[in-house]
């Protein structure tokens, strides 16, 4: 398959409000493979570009369950099975004493899964990305807001899509080379 | 401006960010400290002094490794001494960072956004300082890894019924989660620094650290979910850590330790000393780097209120300890109370009460709550007081327990002091470096505080 020399077309906006409006309009116009970039999290922006399924909580739940289970089983196996030691007549499987470490292991595994899960689902780390080719994009981490329509979108036609972006009244529109 | 701030008077309604700021000005102001501002002589001298103290600590620890813990003042019956006093003190200081970053996030206290970054850094460095003490106190520190359950040729496992083992897990989990929380909070700001700097090697470094963050809406969504969940996990964690630290004492049967008030009163004391340290750091930082717009009087006032509240919980803890000593009917507990008030360490017990209970009551005066100089001094007093509290708990309880024949006294040696003061140097040296290398205030969270950040319908 021949790779499109254009990765997508990008419009730049002044404010968070303008970006969210533009994202709504773009999504309503039938463009599905789109993304928006902002210097801080904007409420409702992800929904505006049609992103609804966030799997991070599930990853954290699974991580926490694994951590808690392993934490308890580790203590039980080490203290009651592999190396039972009589200390002051306490039973080898003295479960109340195991709760603290079970709790800590739950938190540890859930926390690590939260961070690694977020990074993995976001496809990070990714030091290079085509959007960085747009010189103005460096303001996306400061005070500018960007909307991109990817060339892989079904409705994408370079000239038509550029024309559509101009109807959103952006500050500027640029082509993103891939 | 969120609605809930509008109702009350005074500083309650004051904005958490100075007027006239934009996304660009916030970004430039905070990132310029790292990127363009040259290192001042004050910074160099301060860092050099703290670095020297760090070297002194390493020297003291080096000599300790050579000679063993006999060079310290610890003896039987006081086997814990400075190592545990300092460990608990440092861990407690760290707790305010997690409180600010996690608990206040869950409570939607947006004023936290300007102090959470360096409070989290403070947590990390405090936990690092704390972690040194138990490791060098074990006698043969090169075998400290025996604390962890790893498969070994001796075919033994750690004793999970011991609170000291719980502590190993609690503190190492706490250190890991704090580091993750801090680092993930920095990722979007690393991206900002990457895009702001002209130097290629800095661009590469910050670019790698930012993991290629580009601010995509999908990424932000998952990021916020992750951040909120991490805060939700860190909240019970931070409460559990000092609870477990208090178990180190409360599970034992030593008079003065064996009480159920310990967990809540340890947690409150931790937050108390932690906020004192936050203020002692924030007040000079905002002055020197001109950040009064971001760390406003309202931040000082709120921190002072947290100190006042937690200080009263601590006072309640002392009160209950004394009451139970008298009312409980256990002659050893009663003696511990008497010994604190009239024994050989009574001067330090009264100093503790002065520092932690009497002096901080001046925070009821509104004028002092907003005066940086007064707050700086009161915070210093509280930090001394909280150190004395741990000294009283560890030393005074151990030095006279059940049998008069096994009573003793504890005198710290110069090696104790060098190690303790050295960790303060290490902590501050790390803070000095942090201020110059990383954005001390979360840039992206400050942007969300501006009115323009809200999407208008």
């Amino acid at each position: 398959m021949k790779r499109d020399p254009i990765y997508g077309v990008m419009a730049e906006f002044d404010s968070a409000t303008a970006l969210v409006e533009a994202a709504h309009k773009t999504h309503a116009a039938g463009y599905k493979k789109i993304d928006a970039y902002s210097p801080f999290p904007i409420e409702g922006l992800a929904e505006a570009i049609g992103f609804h399924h966030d799997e991070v909580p599930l990853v954290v739940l699974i991580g926490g369950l694994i951590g808690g289970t392993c934490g308890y089983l580790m203590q039980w196996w080490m203290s009651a099975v592999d190396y039972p030691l009589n200390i002051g007549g306490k039973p080898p499987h003295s479960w109340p004493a195991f709760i603290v470490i079970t709790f800590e292991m739950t938190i540890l595994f859930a926390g690590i899964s939260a961070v690694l899960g977020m990074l993995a689902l976001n496809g990070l780390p990714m030091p290079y990305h085509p959007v960085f080719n747009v010189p103005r994009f460096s303001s996306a981490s400061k005070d500018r807001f960007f909307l991109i329509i990817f060339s892989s979108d079904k409705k994408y036609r370079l000239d038509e899509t550029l024309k559509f972006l101009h109807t959103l009244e952006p500050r500027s529109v640029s082509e993103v080379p891939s | 401006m969120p609605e809930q701030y509008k109702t009350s008077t005074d500083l309650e309604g004051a904005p958490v960010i100075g007027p006239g700021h934009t996304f660009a000005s916030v970004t430039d102001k905070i990132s310029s400290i790292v990127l363009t501002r040259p290192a001042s002589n004050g910074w160099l001298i301060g860092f050099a002094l703290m670095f020297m103290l760090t070297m002194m600590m390493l020297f003291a620890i080096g000599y300790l490794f050579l000679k063993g813990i006999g060079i310290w003042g610890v003896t039987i019956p006081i086997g814990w001494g400075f190592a545990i006093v300092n460990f608990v003190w440092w861990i407690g200081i760290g707790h305010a960072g997690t409180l600010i970053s996690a608990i206040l996030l869950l409570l939607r206290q947006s004023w936290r956004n300007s102090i959470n970054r360096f409070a989290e850094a403070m947590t990390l460095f405090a936990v690092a300082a704390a972690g040194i003490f138990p490791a060098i106190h074990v006698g043969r520190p090169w075998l400290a890894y025996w604390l962890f359950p790893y498969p070994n040729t001796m075919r033994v496992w750690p004793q999970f019924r011991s609170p000291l083992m719980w502590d190993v897990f609690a503190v190492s989990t706490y250190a890991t989660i704090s580091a993750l929380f801090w680092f993930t909070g920095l990722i979007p700001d690393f991206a900002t620094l990457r895009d702001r700097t002209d130097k290629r090697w800095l661009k590469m470094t910050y670019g790698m650290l930012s993991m290629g963050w580009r601010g995509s809406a999908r990424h932000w969504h998952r990021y916020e979910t992750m951040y909120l969940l991490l805060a939700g996990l860190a909240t019970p964690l931070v409460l559990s850590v000092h609870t477990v630290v208090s178990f180190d004492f409360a599970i034992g049967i030593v008079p003065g330790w064996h009480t159920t008030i310990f967990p809540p009163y340890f947690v409150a004391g931790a937050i108390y000393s932690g906020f004192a340290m936050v203020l002692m750091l924030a007040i000079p930082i905002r002055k020197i780097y001109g950040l009064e717009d971001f760390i406003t009087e309202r931040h000082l006032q709120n921190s002072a209120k947290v100190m006042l509240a937690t200080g009263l919980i601590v006072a309640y803890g002392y009160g209950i300890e004394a009451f139970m000593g008298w009312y409980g009917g256990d002659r050893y507990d009663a003696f511990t109370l008497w010994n604190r008030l009239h024994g050989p360490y009574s001067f330090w017990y009264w100093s503790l009460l002065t520092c932690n209970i009497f002096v901080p009551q001046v925070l009821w005066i509104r004028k002092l709550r907003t005066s940086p100089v007064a707050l700086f001094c009161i915070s210093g007093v509280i930090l001394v007081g909280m150190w004395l509290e741990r000294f009283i708990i560890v030393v005074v309880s151990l030095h006279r327990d059940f049998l008069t024949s096994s009573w003793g006294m504890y005198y710290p040696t110069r090696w104790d002091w060098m190690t303790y003061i050295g960790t303060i140097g290490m902590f501050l040296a790390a803070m000095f470096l942090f201020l110059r290398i990383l954005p001390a205030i979360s840039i992206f969270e400050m942007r969300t505080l501006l009115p323009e950040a809200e999407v208008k319908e």
Side-chain angles (χ1 to χ4, degrees), chain A residues 17 34-39 42 54 78 82-83 87 94 97 104 114 121-122 124-126 129 138 141-142, chain B residues 156-157 159 161 166 192 195-196 211-212 214-222 225-226 237 240 447 455-456:
Chain A
T17 311
I34 56 175
D35 205 347
Y37 303 93
S38 59
I42 299 171
D54 187 342
M78 289 176 185
D82 197 50
Y83 189 56
I87 306 278
S94 36
E104 303 296 343
L121 289 167
N122 281 347
L124 299 174
M126 188 190 283
H129 192 274
S138 65
S141 64
K142 185 181 182 184
Chain B
V156 295
W157 295 110
Q159 177 50 262
R161 277 161 261 164
W166 306 347
T192 298
D195 296 340
R196 296 281 85 71
M211 305 204 168
R214 50 188 191 274
S216 153
R218 289 182 178 79
H219 291 187
W220 275 125
H221 194 279
R222 293 198 186 97
T225 312
M226 177 278 306
L237 174 66
S240 86
R447 292 188 193 115
V455 176
K456 295 168 201 78

Side-chain angles (χ1 to χ4, degrees), chain A residues 16-17 20-21 32 34-43 45-47 49-57 60 74-75 77-79 82-83 85-87 90-92 94 96-98 100-101 103-108 110-112 114-115 118-119 121-127 129 131-132 137-143 145 150, chain B residues 23-25 27-28 149-150 155-162 165-167 169-174 176-177 180-181 183-184 187-188 191-196 207-208 210-226 229-230 232-234 236-237 240-241 244 247 443-445 447-448 452-457:
Chain A
T17 311
V20 174
E21 254 170 49
K32 300 299 171 210
I34 56 175
D35 205 347
Y37 303 93
S38 59
F40 54 87
I42 299 171
E43 209 177 328
L45 184 60
E47 287 75 16
I49 60 162
F51 174 73
H52 297 287
H53 298 290
D54 187 342
E55 293 94 353
V56 172
V60 176
M74 170 188 79
Q75 297 177 78
W77 183 76
M78 289 176 185
S79 311
D82 197 50
Y83 189 56
L85 206 56
N86 189 337
I87 306 278
K90 290 175 197 150
S94 36
F98 297 166
V100 173
I101 292 178
F103 171 79
E104 303 296 343
M105 292 287 280
T106 310
I107 300 281
L108 180 66
I112 292 173
V115 174
M118 181 275 290
L119 289 176
L121 289 167
N122 281 347
L124 299 174
M126 188 190 283
H129 192 274
V131 291
F132 292 132
F137 190 73
S138 65
S139 322
S141 64
K142 185 181 182 184
D143 57 353
F145 304 82
F150 298 118
Chain B
F23 296 132
S25 73
T27 310
D28 291 338
Y150 71 101
R155 299 201 56 213
V156 295
W157 295 110
Q159 177 50 262
F160 292 112
R161 277 161 261 164
S162 161
M165 247 348 264
W166 306 347
D167 218 14
F169 277 80
V171 172
S172 50
T173 300
Y174 185 52
T176 313
I177 297 291
L180 285 175
F181 206 66
F183 179 72
T184 53
I187 289 175
T192 298
L193 293 179
R194 169 199 68 200
D195 296 340
R196 296 281 85 71
M208 285 298 171
S210 75
M211 305 204 168
W213 184 262
R214 50 188 191 274
S216 153
R218 289 182 178 79
H219 291 187
W220 275 125
H221 194 279
R222 293 198 186 97
Y223 180 87
E224 284 214 292
T225 312
M226 177 278 306
L229 286 170
L230 217 48
L233 292 166
L237 174 66
S240 86
V241 173
V244 171
F247 283 166
I443 306 174
F444 85 92
E445 282 173 308
R447 292 188 193 115
T448 63
E452 297 95 299
E454 264 176 61
V455 176
K456 295 168 201 78
E457 293 300 326

Side-chain angles (χ1 to χ4, degrees), chain B residues 366-382:
Chain B
R366 177 172 293 159
K367 222 174 166 178
L368 291 179
R369 284 204 302 268
T370 52
S371 150
V373 178
L375 278 180
F376 187 81
C377 299
I378 296 166
S379 301
V381 170
I382 291 173

Side-chain angles (χ1 to χ4, degrees), chain B residues 369-407:
Chain B
R369 284 204 302 268
T370 52
S371 150
V373 178
L375 278 180
F376 187 81
C377 299
I378 296 166
S379 301
V381 170
I382 291 173
L383 281 172
V384 172
M386 286 308 296
W387 188 87
L388 285 173
E389 179 200 298
R390 278 63 178 253
F391 181 84
I392 296 292
I393 289 173
V394 170
V395 172
V396 177
S397 299
L398 282 175
H399 95 116
R400 289 181 173 176
D401 62 358
F402 303 100
L403 285 176
T404 44
S405 58
S406 62
W407 286 5

Side-chain angles (χ1 to χ4, degrees), chain B residues 188-452:
Chain B
D189 285 358
F190 282 137
T192 298
L193 293 179
R194 169 199 68 200
D195 296 340
R196 296 281 85 71
T197 180
D198 308 322
K199 298 192 187 83
R200 191 172 157 73
W201 69 273
L202 269 183
K203 226 179 187 45
M204 297 279 279
T205 313
Y206 286 127
M208 285 298 171
L209 288 170
S210 75
M211 305 204 168
W213 184 262
R214 50 188 191 274
S216 153
R218 289 182 178 79
H219 291 187
W220 275 125
H221 194 279
R222 293 198 186 97
Y223 180 87
E224 284 214 292
T225 312
M226 177 278 306
Y227 204 62
L228 204 60
L229 286 170
L230 217 48
L233 292 166
T235 300
L237 174 66
V238 68
L239 299 180
S240 86
V241 173
H242 231 63
T243 302
V244 171
V245 169
S246 83
F247 283 166
D248 291 344
F249 301 94
I251 302 286
I253 54 162
V254 175
W257 287 6
H258 195 56
T259 72
T260 48
I261 191 73
F262 261 32
Y265 130 67
F266 263 58
V267 172
I271 293 164
Y272 191 37
S273 60
F275 264 89
M277 187 60 101
V278 166
L279 281 178
M280 286 204 83
L281 296 172
I283 289 169
I285 290 174
R286 76 195 273 273
K287 181 84 192 145
I288 292 165
Y289 291 100
L291 296 172
E292 284 100 340
D293 281 357
F294 299 157
I295 304 172
T296 63
E297 286 196 344
R298 193 166 149 220
H299 294 94
L300 303 184
Q301 158 108 321
N302 283 356
S303 309
K305 283 181 182 169
V306 173
M307 288 200 307
L308 190 54
T310 47
L312 289 174
I313 301 176
V314 169
Y316 172 78
Y318 298 156
I320 286 292
E321 268 192 329
F323 174 77
M324 292 311 286
W326 166 73
Y327 184 74
D330 184 298
R331 55 194 292 201
Y332 299 105
D333 274 346
F335 173 74
T336 301
L337 174 64
W338 180 91
N339 190 37
R340 279 181 184 176
L341 293 170
H342 307 287
Y345 293 102
S346 62
F347 174 76
W348 301 110
Y349 189 66
W350 289 104
S351 307
L352 148 73
L353 294 182
T354 310
C355 291
N356 277 356
I357 299 182
F358 305 135
V359 172
Q361 296 314 313
V362 300
L363 289 172
W364 290 101
I365 303 164
R366 177 172 293 159
K367 222 174 166 178
L368 291 179
R369 284 204 302 268
T370 52
S371 150
V373 178
L375 278 180
F376 187 81
C377 299
I378 296 166
S379 301
V381 170
I382 291 173
L383 281 172
V384 172
M386 286 308 296
W387 188 87
L388 285 173
E389 179 200 298
R390 278 63 178 253
F391 181 84
I392 296 292
I393 289 173
V394 170
V395 172
V396 177
S397 299
L398 282 175
H399 95 116
R400 289 181 173 176
D401 62 358
F402 303 100
L403 285 176
T404 44
S405 58
S406 62
W407 286 5
M409 285 294 287
Y410 173 74
Y411 302 102
T413 64
R414 76 183 80 163
W415 302 103
D416 284 305
W417 285 110
M418 279 162 75
T419 315
Y420 172 49
I421 294 167
T423 54
I424 298 177
M426 184 192 82
F427 172 82
L428 289 175
M431 281 308 288
F432 270 102
L433 284 180
F434 160 73
L435 283 175
R436 297 294 313 180
I437 295 174
L438 300 171
I441 294 179
S442 172
I443 306 174
F444 85 92
E445 282 173 308
M446 288 305 280
R447 292 188 193 115
T448 63
L449 291 181
L450 294 169
E452 297 95 299

